[in-house]
CSV table of all heavy atoms in Angstrom, one decimal:
chain,number,residue,atom,x,y,z
A,14,ARG,N,3.5,10.1,-23.2
A,14,ARG,CA,3.9,9.7,-24.5
A,14,ARG,C,4.3,8.3,-24.6
A,14,ARG,O,3.9,7.5,-25.5
A,14,ARG,CB,5.0,10.6,-25.0
A,14,ARG,CG,4.6,12.0,-25.5
A,14,ARG,CD,5.7,12.7,-26.3
A,14,ARG,NE,6.8,13.1,-25.4
A,14,ARG,CZ,6.8,14.2,-24.6
A,14,ARG,NH1,5.8,15.0,-24.6
A,14,ARG,NH2,7.8,14.4,-23.9
A,15,ALA,N,5.0,7.8,-23.5
A,15,ALA,CA,5.4,6.4,-23.5
A,15,ALA,C,4.2,5.5,-23.3
A,15,ALA,O,4.2,4.4,-23.9
A,15,ALA,CB,6.4,6.2,-22.3
A,16,LEU,N,3.2,5.9,-22.6
A,16,LEU,CA,2.0,5.2,-22.4
A,16,LEU,C,1.3,5.0,-23.8
A,16,LEU,O,0.9,3.9,-24.2
A,16,LEU,CB,1.1,5.9,-21.4
A,16,LEU,CG,-0.4,5.3,-21.3
A,16,LEU,CD1,-0.3,3.9,-20.7
A,16,LEU,CD2,-1.2,6.2,-20.4
A,17,ARG,N,1.2,6.1,-24.5
A,17,ARG,CA,0.6,6.0,-25.8
A,17,ARG,C,1.3,5.1,-26.8
A,17,ARG,O,0.7,4.3,-27.5
A,17,ARG,CB,0.5,7.4,-26.5
A,17,ARG,CG,-0.6,8.3,-25.8
A,17,ARG,CD,-0.6,9.7,-26.4
A,17,ARG,NE,-1.0,9.7,-27.8
A,17,ARG,CZ,-0.8,10.6,-28.7
A,17,ARG,NH1,-0.1,11.6,-28.3
A,17,ARG,NH2,-1.2,10.5,-29.9
A,18,ALA,N,2.6,5.2,-26.7
A,18,ALA,CA,3.5,4.4,-27.6
A,18,ALA,C,3.4,2.9,-27.3
A,18,ALA,O,3.5,2.0,-28.2
A,18,ALA,CB,4.9,4.8,-27.6
A,19,ALA,N,3.1,2.6,-26.0
A,19,ALA,CA,3.0,1.2,-25.6
A,19,ALA,C,1.6,0.5,-25.9
A,19,ALA,O,1.5,-0.7,-25.7
A,19,ALA,CB,3.3,1.1,-24.1
A,20,LEU,N,0.7,1.3,-26.3
A,20,LEU,CA,-0.7,0.7,-26.5
A,20,LEU,C,-0.6,-0.2,-27.8
A,20,LEU,O,0.0,0.1,-28.8
A,20,LEU,CB,-1.7,1.9,-26.8
A,20,LEU,CG,-2.1,2.7,-25.5
A,20,LEU,CD1,-2.9,3.9,-26.0
A,20,LEU,CD2,-2.7,1.8,-24.5
A,21,PRO,N,-1.4,-1.3,-27.7
A,21,PRO,CA,-1.5,-2.2,-28.9
A,21,PRO,C,-2.2,-1.5,-30.0
A,21,PRO,O,-3.0,-0.5,-29.8
A,21,PRO,CB,-2.2,-3.4,-28.4
A,21,PRO,CG,-2.9,-3.0,-27.1
A,21,PRO,CD,-2.2,-1.8,-26.6
Side-chain angles (χ1 to χ4, degrees):
R14 282 190 293 278
L16 172 66
R17 288 178 65 203
L20 290 174

